[in-house]
Amino acid sequence: MPTTVNAYAAHSATEGLIPTTIERRDVGADDVLIDIKFAGICHSDIHTVRGEWGPPSFPLVPGHEIAGIVTEVGSNVTKHAVGDRVGVGCMVNSCGECKNCVAGEEQYCLKGNMGTYGAEDRDGSMTQGGYSTHVVVTEDFVVRIPEGIDLDVAAPLLCAGITTYSPLRRWGAGPGKKVAVVGLGGLGHMAVKLAAAMGAEVSVLSQSLKKQEDGLRLGAEHYYATSDENTFTDLAGSFDLIINTVSASIPISDYLGLLSLDGTLVSVGAPPEPLPVNAFALIGGRRSFAGSMIGGIRETQEMLDFCAEHHLGSEVEVIPADKINEAYERVLASDVRYRFVIDTATLA
Ligand code: NAP
Ligand code: ZN
């Protein structure tokens, strides 16, 4: 018997989200039922709802930064138990058999990972995300939130945390490495915290100096305004790694010029418009331009354990559900410090 639960949904690309109810499937043998406590608002939710990445299927309940408590488990479940503190990120299933899944990189499943919302589920229904009170997820796509990280500050780690942790690890952020983070929003502020905890020398490249004090408090040693033209001449050739978290298209070739010899610029920001690259910006410094998408389940658990060990969580502004539309406007205006998180008790 499916269960009806409260949620907030978009019904079109142009109207605000409104309260609604959705059906959650019965708890199958491999499933866990999660009582959602907090759900983060990611800029990807906004890109998706507004149709910037293609036409979504409505009604759509966004939310892929989910933190909550297990309240029921299926008969085959071994990884989680009733009462556990758990999280769910951007995907809720994958084929499990392709070489990428076997390697633990389910986000790159060759048959396509199943998104937490807006994807076709195995029973033909659409998956619906975390702006709701409960969710049923197969146990392999549920991770453990360590004691010591509160659930509200843990929620954003499930997307913003892993999306920045994964490329920082892959491209070797650590002692002796100069890392720049472009954009101090939800992803950007986690990139700063994580890169600093890994021991790198961190710089923030923000549109202005408005958030400089925050950036330094979060772990950056340097902070520059990209609106100041001198930034691009003064810092030419300086960074080993640049993580671009900007949600809009930026003049990427100018940023490539900031890389040292053999440096890499990784774009995790996913603007709908292209990021135009001038070949000379790559050639003149043997530079690389790369991308990265969230992280696998094993790496997501590793990231959460790393955060617990280093006492890291997200900086959040907890809001009631009826403030979701206002929060979207503030994210679009780069007025977020540094993640809005919905208290799902307000959906009752
Ligand atoms: P966010 O909180 O809105 O942060 C983006 C930041 O980019 C802003 O705070 C702002 O920082 C800067 N920015 C915004 N517009 C800009 C512009 N026109 N020019 C220059 N800088 C601008 O968004 P988010 O949730 O961190 O997500 C960022 C992007 O990553 C989105 O496109 C999202 O879809 C994508 N994403 C990708 C993945 C993945 O797997 N690759 C996962 C999650 C999200 P300043 O004020 O400091 O300049
Ligand atoms: Zn996200």
Side-chain angles (χ1 to χ4, degrees):
M1 269 269 296
T3 312
T4 304
V5 304
N6 291 340
Y8 250 68
H11 289 78
S12 84
T14 52
E15 294 157 297
L17 280 69
I18 55 170
T20 189
T21 57
I22 53 169
E23 303 289 300
R24 293 300 191 188
R25 69 167 182 264
D26 197 9
V27 180
D30 301 314
D31 287 337
V32 305
L33 171 64
I34 300 167
D35 180 358
I36 301 174
K37 297 296 185 193
F38 296 98
I41 294 179
C42 177
H43 205 121
S44 302
D45 301 346
I46 305 176
H47 288 309
T48 304
V49 162
R50 305 217 166 171
E52 292 170 4
W53 289 344
S57 115
F58 293 113
L60 177 78
V61 177
H64 58 210
E65 294 185 334
I66 298 172
I69 307 283
V70 175
T71 53
E72 192 181 331
V73 298
S75 53
N76 292 341
V77 169
T78 56
K79 296 184 175 125
H80 308 286
V82 171
D84 284 359
R85 306 162 82 247
V86 293
V88 176
C90 300
M91 51 184 176
V92 289
N93 223 326
S94 72
C95 84
E97 289 164 359
C98 73
K99 64 177 180 186
N100 293 349
C101 284
V102 170
E105 305 273 18
E106 303 90 351
Q107 72 278 31
Y108 303 117
C109 174
L110 293 171
K111 293 186 182 156
N113 74 64
M114 186 189 293
T116 302
Y117 56 80
E120 192 177 333
D121 208 339
R122 290 190 175 157
D123 62 5
S125 65
M126 293 310 272
T127 58
Q128 299 288 7
Y131 300 3
S132 63
T133 57
H134 298 80
V135 65
V136 178
V137 180
T138 186
E139 68 162 336
D140 290 345
F141 285 77
V142 176
V143 288
R144 189 174 29 80
I145 295 177
E147 292 298 331
I149 312 181
D150 290 338
L151 292 181
D152 55 349
V153 304
L157 301 177
L158 277 303
C159 174
I162 184 59
T163 300
T164 49
Y165 180 89
S166 186
L168 287 169
R169 277 282 187 239
R170 168 144 295 264
W171 279 278
K177 288 288 168 76
K178 292 188 176 180
V179 175
V181 176
V182 189
L184 194 67
L187 266 58
H189 93 287
M190 282 314 307
V192 170
K193 285 189 170 205
L194 290 164
M198 290 172 191
E201 181 181 331
V202 184
S203 299
V204 174
L205 300 171
S206 181
Q207 293 168 96
S208 71
L209 295 178
K210 271 192 283 192
K211 296 177 276 191
Q212 181 168 22
E213 232 174 79
D214 287 352
L216 301 180
R217 177 175 52 81
L218 295 168
E221 287 180 42
H222 318 280
Y223 201 103
Y224 306 98
T226 53
S227 53
D228 180 350
E229 281 170 28
N230 294 330
T231 295
F232 290 91
T233 44
D234 294 352
L235 300 177
S238 17
F239 300 111
D240 300 298
L241 176 63
I242 300 176
I243 307 285
N244 168 29
T245 74
V246 175
S247 48
S249 185
I250 54 173
I252 210 76
S253 296
D254 293 352
Y255 290 81
L256 286 167
L258 304 182
L259 290 171
S260 58
L261 181 65
D262 291 324
T264 301
L265 188 159
V266 184
S267 268
V268 291
E273 311 83 19
L275 291 167
V277 174
N278 178 335
F280 290 97
L282 293 172
I283 294 169
R286 203 162 55 202
R287 301 174 175 123
S288 303
F289 180 38
S292 185
M293 186 168 72
I294 48 173
I297 296 298
R298 186 172 58 222
E299 194 174 38
T300 302
Q301 188 64 61
E302 177 190 306
M303 176 275 307
L304 287 167
D305 295 342
F306 178 89
C307 286
E309 191 188 324
H310 293 268
H311 308 290
L312 300 181
S314 185
E315 305 257 314
V316 303
E317 184 171 335
V318 176
I319 57 162
D322 63 8
K323 291 275 194 287
I324 291 172
N325 296 307
E326 202 175 295
Y328 274 27
E329 294 306 324
R330 286 183 54 193
V331 170
L332 289 168
S334 300
D335 177 25
V336 50
R337 299 192 182 202
Y338 281 88
R339 201 56 141 184
F340 290 105
V341 170
I342 303 160
D343 176 355
T344 61
T346 62
L347 286 164

